[in-house]
């Protein structure tokens, strides 16, 4: 299966044009210019387009067709800062081809994902002119890399009554052995800071004979939150969890890679009690966890300093699963600290915006997409019930009622957010082909609902 060379050349040019615009949301730089370019590309491809203001960068929307089936595609045109620049082999904002790869900031995250889908769209429309049998809403934002501060407000305002069936997520991955992944969910997140202050200023450590120490207090408070198995000991923590459906469980039963691979890759040695080769993938997909991100206070310099510090802080993050609301978990955490005698430990919420989601893998588009991924990437697709990481997918899932579908071209060595970010040319081409086929297959499926299932 080949994509015509002129299609690939045009897509590569589009990607080069986008990469050349340093749309760094962290510096609020280049966002209008990049939004204009994205809008022009969508408009040239036949979409009715518009821009809507965001807090930092505008949203671009392209729409076409009519329901009853509605597909939402979500992408973003902003990128991470290029620093440290000296570690790039070539200039970060110039798309450069070297040994089968295209390098440049945003080549993968997320301009390459956007462009490959759009190129596939053009192929699909060239071969399937006429009225579109479904509605397509393409949303491209410019604030993803700074946490999408206005996304929820934008969706609620602009798409007040919109319902959708499927949301094609902004990225997707191909694993290190070349197997494409269909991602069905994300974990939520609660990030907090605990602080304890026990005196006006640091004291002589001899006074430790009578005064308590804020780092001892924090250590005890943090220790009370979790056991050696990783089980979180906050009362009510597990109450609202939505259990995975049977198919999700089944999909997670056989891990697509051995635990040893992950240990080798990360150098991670010490497993939580109860985590083993059979259970680790289940934990990654379905179990919430609590991390201590940092523990700060007192003297950390060279040699000894006999000090009784007056204050200390601990930063924590909880990876949450569907059903757990971060704000409610924060309230339970406060109650736990008070009940355990840690009223003097203050709690500051740093992030409670992202809720976990997990979509139903029995949606027809999942099998259909997986089959087309197999066709283009030459390997059976892995359907992954949930990422172990968090993504701001819940506004789409809850607002639109859509099924999440994450498929894309990001490969194992893509160096996202790092110097030498890149994509494989072969994946870029495969994703163009996949996208063209996926649009066509969705159209066929919704045009002939009586034959549902015959495309798997
Ligand atoms: Zn990113």
């Amino acid at each position: 299966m080949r994509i015509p060379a002129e299609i690939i050349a045009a897509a590569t040019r589009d990607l080069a044009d986008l990469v050349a615009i340093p749309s760094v949301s962290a510096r609020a730089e280049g966002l209008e210019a990049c939004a204009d370019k994205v809008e022009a590309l969508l408009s040239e491809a036949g979409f009715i387009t518009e821009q809507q203001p965001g807090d930092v960068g505008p949203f671009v929307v392209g729409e076409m067709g009519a329901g009853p089936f509605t597909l939402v595609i979500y992408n973003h045109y902003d990128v991470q800062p290029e620093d440290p620049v000296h570690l790039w082999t070539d200039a970060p904002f110039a798309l450069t081809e070297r040994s089968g790869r295209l390098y440049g900031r945003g080549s993968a995250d997320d301009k390459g994902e956007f462009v490959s889908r759009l190129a596939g769209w053009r192929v699909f429309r060239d071969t399937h002119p006429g009225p579109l049998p479904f509605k397509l809403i393409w949303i491209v934002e410019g604030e993803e890399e700074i946490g999408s501060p206005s996304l929820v407000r934008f969706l609620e305002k602009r798409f007040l009554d919109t319902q959708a069936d499927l949301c094609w997520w902004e990225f997707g991955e191909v694993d290190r052995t070349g197997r494409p992944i269909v991602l069905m969910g994300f974990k939520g997140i609660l990030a907090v800071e605990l602080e304890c202050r026990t005196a006006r200023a640091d004291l002589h450590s001899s006074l430790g004979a009578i005064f308590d120490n804020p780092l001892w207090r924090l250590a005890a408070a943090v220790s009370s939150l979790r056991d050696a198995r990783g089980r979180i000991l906050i009362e009510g923590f597990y109450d609202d969890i939505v259990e995975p459906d049977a198919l999700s469980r089944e999909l997670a039963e056989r891990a697509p890679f051995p635990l040893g691979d992950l240990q080798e890759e990360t150098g991670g040695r010490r497993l939580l009690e109860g985590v083993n080769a059979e259970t680790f993938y289940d934990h990654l997909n379905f179990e919430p966890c609590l991390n201590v991100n940092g523990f700060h206070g007192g003297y950390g310099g060279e040699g000894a300093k006999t000090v009784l510090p007056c204050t200390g802080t601990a930063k924590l993050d909880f990876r949450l699963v569907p059903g757990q609301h971060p704000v409610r978990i924060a309230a339970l955490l406060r109650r736990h600290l008070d009940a355990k005698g840690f009223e003097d430990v203050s709690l500051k919420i740093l992030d409670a915006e992202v809720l976990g989601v997990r979509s139903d893998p029995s949606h027809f588009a999942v099998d259909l997409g997986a089959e087309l991924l197999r066709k283009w990437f030459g390997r059976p697709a892995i359907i992954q019930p949930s990422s172990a990481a968090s993504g701001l997918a819940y506004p789409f899932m809850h607002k639109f009622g859509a099924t999440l579908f994450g498929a894309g071209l990001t490969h194992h060595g893509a160096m996202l957010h790092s110097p030498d970010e890149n994509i494989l040319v072969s994946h870029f081409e495969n994703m163009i082909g996949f996208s063209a086929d996926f649009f066509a297959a969705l159209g066929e499926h919704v045009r002939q609902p009586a034959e549902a299932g015959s495309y798997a």
Side-chain angles (χ1 to χ4, degrees):
M1 199 65 54
R2 299 287 301 171
I3 301 291
E6 65 272 17
I7 302 278
I8 295 163
T12 310
R13 272 198 306 277
D14 290 343
L15 184 55
D17 288 349
L18 285 176
V19 167
I21 305 171
S23 46
V24 180
S25 47
R27 302 196 297 256
E29 187 183 301
L31 300 177
E32 280 76 16
C34 205
D36 288 347
K37 178 68 191 169
V38 166
E39 185 178 11
L41 288 171
L42 285 170
S43 172
E44 284 158 22
F47 288 85
I48 297 165
T49 61
E50 66 184 68
Q51 289 192 31
Q52 295 283 341
D55 288 353
V56 178
F59 292 87
V60 183
V61 179
E63 291 186 272
M64 198 189 292
F69 187 88
T70 299
L71 168 66
V72 171
I73 303 182
Y74 167 58
N75 285 110
H76 64 90
Y77 62 81
D78 63 320
V79 296
Q80 286 279 325
E82 68 279 26
D83 312 276
V85 187
H86 70 277
L87 293 181
W88 286 81
T89 307
D90 294 296
F93 295 110
L95 191 72
T96 312
E97 187 168 351
R98 258 187 295 123
S99 32
R101 294 184 184 202
L102 291 165
Y103 290 84
R105 172 59 84 230
S107 56
D109 181 11
D110 186 48
K111 292 169 174 176
E113 299 279 15
F114 169 70
V115 167
S116 57
R117 295 171 189 187
L118 187 64
W121 173 261
R122 291 193 201 111
V123 175
F124 161 63
R125 290 303 280 166
D126 285 349
T127 47
H128 298 73
L132 189 65
F134 54 87
K135 181 171 180 63
L136 174 51
I137 304 172
W138 208 319
I139 299 167
V140 192
E141 78 153 312
E143 304 175 337
E144 196 273 345
E145 299 293 4
I146 50 168
S148 303
S150 38
L151 178 63
V152 175
R153 258 177 294 133
F154 162 73
L155 291 176
E156 269 162 12
K157 197 168 150 220
R158 172 62 179 76
F159 295 102
L160 188 62
D161 300 315
T162 306
Q163 290 292 292
D165 298 275
L166 194 67
C167 176
W168 190 352
W169 193 243
E170 46 119 343
F171 73 92
E173 292 171 319
V174 181
D175 82 354
R176 58 150 80 197
T177 67
R179 289 174 298 181
I181 297 169
V182 178
L183 185 62
M184 301 300 303
F186 285 104
K187 287 185 179 172
I189 194 162
L190 167 66
V192 298
E193 182 175 305
L194 304 182
E195 189 186 0
C196 184
R197 175 173 278 277
T198 52
R200 250 199 321 273
D202 287 359
L203 304 173
H204 194 278
S205 77
S206 62
L207 291 171
I210 56 165
F211 291 130
D212 208 341
N213 177 313
L215 298 181
W216 274 118
R217 298 284 299 152
L218 275 176
V222 169
S223 305
S224 76
L225 295 173
R226 204 201 74 174
D227 69 13
R229 301 177 72 85
R231 183 93 188 156
I232 289 140
L233 303 174
I234 298 169
E235 203 184 316
F237 181 83
Y238 292 92
D239 285 1
D240 300 329
I241 288 179
V242 177
E243 289 300 324
D245 58 79
L247 181 54
S248 295
R249 278 247 179 256
E250 200 184 307
L251 287 167
E253 230 154 59
R254 254 195 28 183
F257 55 89
L259 173 58
D261 278 8
L262 196 55
Q263 288 180 294
E264 197 173 309
E265 187 188 323
T266 57
R269 287 200 182 85
R270 201 181 152 81
L271 296 166
L272 290 167
E273 275 177 27
V275 174
N276 55 45
E278 275 75 54
T279 62
F280 82 96
Y281 195 64
D282 206 72
H283 281 258
L284 286 175
N285 276 273
F286 303 131
E287 288 295 323
C289 66
L290 167 56
N291 286 292
V292 183
N293 311 121
F295 209 103
H296 297 277
Y299 181 68
E302 207 178 317
K305 182 185 180 190
T306 49
V307 66
L308 171 54
C310 64
T311 183
T313 57
K315 287 185 190 278
L316 313 176
D317 83 53
F318 294 85
R319 297 281 169 175
L320 305 173
V321 297
Q324 292 184 298
H325 198 293
V327 173
R328 175 168 151 74
I329 298 297
L332 294 177
L333 170 60
R334 180 70 266 170
R335 202 174 70 186
H336 171 96
L337 292 170
D338 293 345
K340 297 286 177 191
F342 297 109
E343 296 97 337
D344 58 326
V345 173
S346 71
L347 167 65
K348 187 160 109 190
I349 296 176
L350 303 176
D351 184 359
E353 300 290 321
V354 180
L355 281 68
V357 290
R358 201 174 46 238
S359 283
D360 177 4
S362 69
H363 192 281
F364 79 87
V366 176
D367 272 353
L368 188 151
E371 187 51 33
L372 292 173
L373 286 167
R374 190 195 57 74
K375 170 184 163 186
W376 282 97
F377 286 81
R379 303 285 310 279
I382 297 162
I383 299 168
Q384 186 180 340
S386 175
S387 171
S390 308
L392 198 61
Y394 84 91
F396 293 94
M397 312 301 104
H398 293 187
K399 166 78 197 67
F400 292 120
T403 292
L404 180 71
F405 178 84
L409 51 61
T410 298
H411 75 112
H412 192 72
M415 308 296 289
L416 301 189
H417 299 196
S418 302
D420 281 354
E421 178 180 346
N422 70 89
I423 56 174
L424 302 184
V425 174
S426 59
H427 286 173
F428 188 56
E429 296 178 13
N430 293 342
M431 210 55 216
I432 295 172
F434 167 79
S435 303
D437 277 357
F438 190 52
F439 290 126
L442 284 178
E444 281 299 301
H445 187 96
V446 298
R447 211 200 311 264
Q448 303 168 345
E451 287 175 32
S454 64
Y455 299 88

